[in-house]
Amino acid sequence: WIRIQMASFHTLAVDLFGSKCYHLELCSSDADIVVTLGPGMSPKVWLTELHDCVAASKAFTCKRKNKPRSDCLQTEFLGLPVDLKVIKNSRASDGACRSSDTLRYMIEQRLKQGNFDLKHRAILIFKLLCHHLHVTQHHWKPRAGKFKAVTLCYWAVAALDGVAVEGKTVADF
């Protein structure tokens, strides 16, 4: 949809970032989509045109009521919260993408080494509990002293790195 609607822009990539990218999404997780524009493309102009496309589409059902962000479009597509972020040239130039990519790399390396499956599930359960208890920020709500979920996931990965797995179940973590 994005590539078709925004065909007049040189788009290098349309990818995921956030929890779906680093394999720790909850069923309530939004879809964080990053669009990487080629050289000479204006993210501000791209977002303005995207706003117009979304406003004209019946598939997008909700617009953020707070002050709109200048770096991304936050909406709902068929009821699913979606953040559409636009960047220039490289994912490495954006903090949100960099933190997602680094955490994904950390988790994938540990999964390849083996003995991380139980810890991975334990981190997901920990994240779910933190989300349910409102320890983490919820979609489109101000942070107000709450943690970002990615921060808690980094902490959980680091904390579990020092824990032995042999003879344990997910509940032991």
Side-chain angles (χ1 to χ4, degrees):
W1 187 91
I2 293 170
R3 286 190 187 271
I4 292 168
Q5 297 299 318
M6 307 303 284
S8 62
F9 289 85
H10 178 218
T11 303
L12 299 175
V14 178
D15 295 307
L16 292 173
F17 72 101
S19 61
K20 291 184 186 313
C21 169
Y22 54 78
H23 316 296
L24 286 171
E25 72 272 7
L26 302 175
C27 60
S28 62
S29 293
D30 63 348
D32 296 309
I33 300 171
V34 61
V35 177
T36 308
L37 297 181
M41 298 286 107
S42 167
K44 189 173 184 176
V45 172
W46 189 92
L47 275 174
T48 301
E49 286 194 29
L50 182 67
H51 276 276
D52 294 342
C53 291
V54 166
S57 173
K58 294 182 192 257
F60 292 90
T61 55
C62 177
K63 313 305 185 274
R64 184 179 170 130
K65 292 174 180 65
N66 304 4
K67 181 182 172 199
R69 292 180 51 170
S70 62
D71 64 336
C72 74
L73 172 66
Q74 294 178 308
T75 185
E76 286 186 4
F77 180 75
L78 301 175
L80 173 70
V82 176
D83 292 347
L84 288 160
K85 187 172 191 58
V86 60
I87 59 175
K88 287 181 78 166
N89 303 326
S90 167
R91 289 174 65 102
S93 66
D94 180 72
C97 291
R98 239 184 354 261
S99 64
S100 292
D101 291 348
T102 303
L103 185 56
R104 181 184 66 211
Y105 177 77
M106 289 171 63
I107 289 172
E108 287 175 351
Q109 291 303 307
R110 284 157 178 77
L111 287 169
K112 285 179 191 173
Q113 293 169 2
N115 290 336
F116 194 74
D117 289 340
L118 293 176
K119 292 178 181 182
H120 188 247
R121 282 185 263 158
I123 294 168
L124 189 57
I125 292 166
F126 173 70
K127 182 181 173 190
L128 177 64
L129 289 171
C130 288
H131 183 77
H132 180 72
L133 295 171
H134 292 271
V135 173
T136 57
Q137 176 187 13
H138 284 232
H139 305 299
W140 301 356
K141 305 276 192 248
R143 283 223 352 239
K146 293 182 171 38
F147 290 99
K148 294 206 50 90
V150 68
T151 305
L152 285 179
C153 292
Y154 268 109
W155 177 84
V157 169
L160 290 177
D161 271 350
V163 176
V165 175
E166 290 75 28
K168 296 200 171 149
T169 66
V170 172
D172 292 325
F173 292 106

